[in-house]
């Protein structure tokens, strides 16, 4: 099976459009179409349904996707096994909009000689730790649960206590506020559609809601960040919570406001996770860089009770 065709299939499945997959892979859209067509021919199934807005997976495509991901993981491990010390440092940032991606970009600016492979596994902390333990990635960023929940080979260190901001449109009742308290948020609708259950993110927001009496609505279809930003811009009641270091772009006409949440400031506790026996020279540089940047949250900040903030070196 052609691994480049498999890689192209996965990129198209993740992007939902051949054009976006082509941009990610630095190839033409026509090349994406040809690779996918060749793979469909080899498998004798249709993997995608073409629509006016892009592509979506068929039932056969959905069935093949996890196996395709596994094929690529096996290929990466095989490649790394014969190139010790010469491969790129592979780091999972969960989502390229969030604080870990910003931290890793800062690291790259300071250490441009370290070759990086930036990935988004989009999995919870348990699966991310499993990926680190299996050697699929060299490091990942997550909130770490209580000590004793990680395998013996795994090490963690806190890297960022990220404060939250309220994101609202210009007609929202809090739009003119310089800052808001968690208590003030109790009377407002916080929308986070598609928040995955049974993850450390869900545990964080569940405890935040319980402690401060917030209503966080996770129901409804997920149309993506751009659609959510448009809805918030047009609504006098909708809002959401974003990390202080997260990166979102929107048209000037939206006039969205990012309002710090203080008194206390809820912070999301991020740690870097790696294997103790990983010899990659770039990993040591990354950990040293993150340790130098680390500063704990203010004494009056709120963090979840389950988060482990002590480095397990």
């Amino acid at each position: 099976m052609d691994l480049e065709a498999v890689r192209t299939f996965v990129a198209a499945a993740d992007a939902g459009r051949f054009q976006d997959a082509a941009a990610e892979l630095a190839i033409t859209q026509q090349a994406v179409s040809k690779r996918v067509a060749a793979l469909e021919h080899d498998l004798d199934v249709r993997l995608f349904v073409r629509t006016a807005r892009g592509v979506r997976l068929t039932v056969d495509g959905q069935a093949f996707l996890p196996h395709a991901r596994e094929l690529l993981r096996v290929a990466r491990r095989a490649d790394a096994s014969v190139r010790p010390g010469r491969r790129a440092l592979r780091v999972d940032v969960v989502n390229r909009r969030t604080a870990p991606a910003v931290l890793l970009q800062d690291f790259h600016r300071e250490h441009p000689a370290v070759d990086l492979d930036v990935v988004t596994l989009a999995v919870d902390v348990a699966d991310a730790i499993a990926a680190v333990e299996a050697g699929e990635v060299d490091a990942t960023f997550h909130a770490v649960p209580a000590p004793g929940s990680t395998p013996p080979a795994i090490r963690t260190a806190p890297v960022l206590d990220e404060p939250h901001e309220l994101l609202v449109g210009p007609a929202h009742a809090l739009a003119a506020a310089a800052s808001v308290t968690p208590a003030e948020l109790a009377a407002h609708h916080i929308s986070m559609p598609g928040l995955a259950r049974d993850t450390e993110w869900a545990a964080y927001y569940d405890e935040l809601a319980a402690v401060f009496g917030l209503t966080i609505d996770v129901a409804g279809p997920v149309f993506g960040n751009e659609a959510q930003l448009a809805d918030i811009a047009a609504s006098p009641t909708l809002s959401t919570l974003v990390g202080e270091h997260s990166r979102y772009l929107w048209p000037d006409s939206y006039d969205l406001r990012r309002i710090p949440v203080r008194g206390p400031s809820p912070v999301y506790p991020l740690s870097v996770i790696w294997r103790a026996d990983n010899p990659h020279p770039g990993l040591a540089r990354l950990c040293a860089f993150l340790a130098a940047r680390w500063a704990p949250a203010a004494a009056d900040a709120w963090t979840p009770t389950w988060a482990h903030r002590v480095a397990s070196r």
Side-chain angles (χ1 to χ4, degrees):
M1 188 174 295
D2 184 353
L3 282 177
E4 287 305 313
V6 174
R7 184 172 291 107
T8 303
F9 161 74
V10 171
D14 290 343
R17 296 200 312 166
F18 281 4
Q19 181 180 357
D20 293 345
E24 180 180 341
L25 297 172
I27 60 177
T28 66
Q29 185 174 343
Q30 184 181 21
V32 171
S33 298
K34 286 183 177 180
R35 290 180 184 181
V36 170
L39 185 60
E40 290 178 325
H41 181 268
D42 288 344
L43 297 173
D44 198 24
V45 296
R46 290 187 65 191
L47 298 172
F48 291 105
V49 174
R50 280 69 169 175
T51 71
R53 295 185 177 182
V55 293
R56 68 173 186 271
L57 290 169
T58 63
V59 172
D60 289 322
Q62 293 172 22
F64 181 65
L65 182 59
H67 301 290
R69 294 192 194 280
E70 182 61 21
L71 281 171
L72 296 180
R73 283 194 289 267
V74 171
R76 286 192 294 266
R77 290 197 296 269
D79 182 70
S81 70
V82 297
R83 293 199 300 158
R86 292 188 289 132
R87 63 174 177 81
L89 182 68
R90 186 172 173 80
V91 183
D92 166 41
V93 296
V94 186
N95 185 310
R96 287 185 172 85
R97 296 181 187 273
T98 55
V102 177
L103 279 172
L104 197 59
Q105 189 170 18
D106 289 344
F107 169 75
H108 174 64
R109 292 190 182 105
E110 191 166 313
H111 298 276
V114 177
D115 190 15
L116 288 176
D117 182 8
V118 184
V119 301
T120 53
L121 296 182
V123 296
D124 65 8
V125 63
D127 287 340
I129 288 174
V132 172
E133 189 177 27
E136 296 170 13
V137 294
D138 295 297
T140 186
F141 295 89
H142 281 268
V144 178
S149 60
T150 57
I154 294 298
R155 298 293 181 268
T156 71
V159 294
L160 180 66
D161 283 338
E162 185 180 25
H164 270 75
E165 295 177 332
L166 184 72
L167 185 65
V168 300
H172 194 277
L174 298 174
S179 65
V180 296
T181 67
E184 289 176 307
L185 297 183
H188 297 276
H189 179 195
I190 300 173
S191 176
M192 306 190 83
L195 182 66
R197 308 310 304 171
D198 300 321
T199 63
E200 73 268 28
W201 308 298
Y204 173 86
Y205 287 110
D206 284 347
E207 185 172 341
L208 179 68
V211 169
F212 296 105
L214 308 185
T215 300
I216 299 178
D217 184 6
V218 302
V222 179
F223 294 107
N225 289 313
E226 289 75 13
Q228 185 181 23
L229 294 176
D231 288 343
I232 290 173
S235 172
T237 58
L238 280 181
S239 65
T240 195
L241 292 170
V242 297
E244 180 182 71
H245 301 283
S246 59
R247 299 182 287 197
Y248 292 89
L249 298 175
W250 55 77
D252 290 343
S253 60
Y254 284 11
D255 195 20
L256 295 178
R257 321 290 172 84
R258 296 181 67 144
I259 305 170
V261 182
R262 297 173 180 157
S265 177
V267 297
Y268 192 82
L270 283 163
S271 291
V272 61
I273 305 168
W274 74 98
R275 273 190 71 110
D277 58 355
N278 187 329
H280 197 296
L283 180 60
R285 291 187 183 184
L286 175 62
C287 289
F289 168 84
L290 294 171
R293 294 278 295 263
W294 159 244
D300 63 345
W302 178 88
T303 56
T305 57
W306 51 267
H308 182 42
R309 308 305 293 139
V310 179
S312 58
R313 299 184 186 276

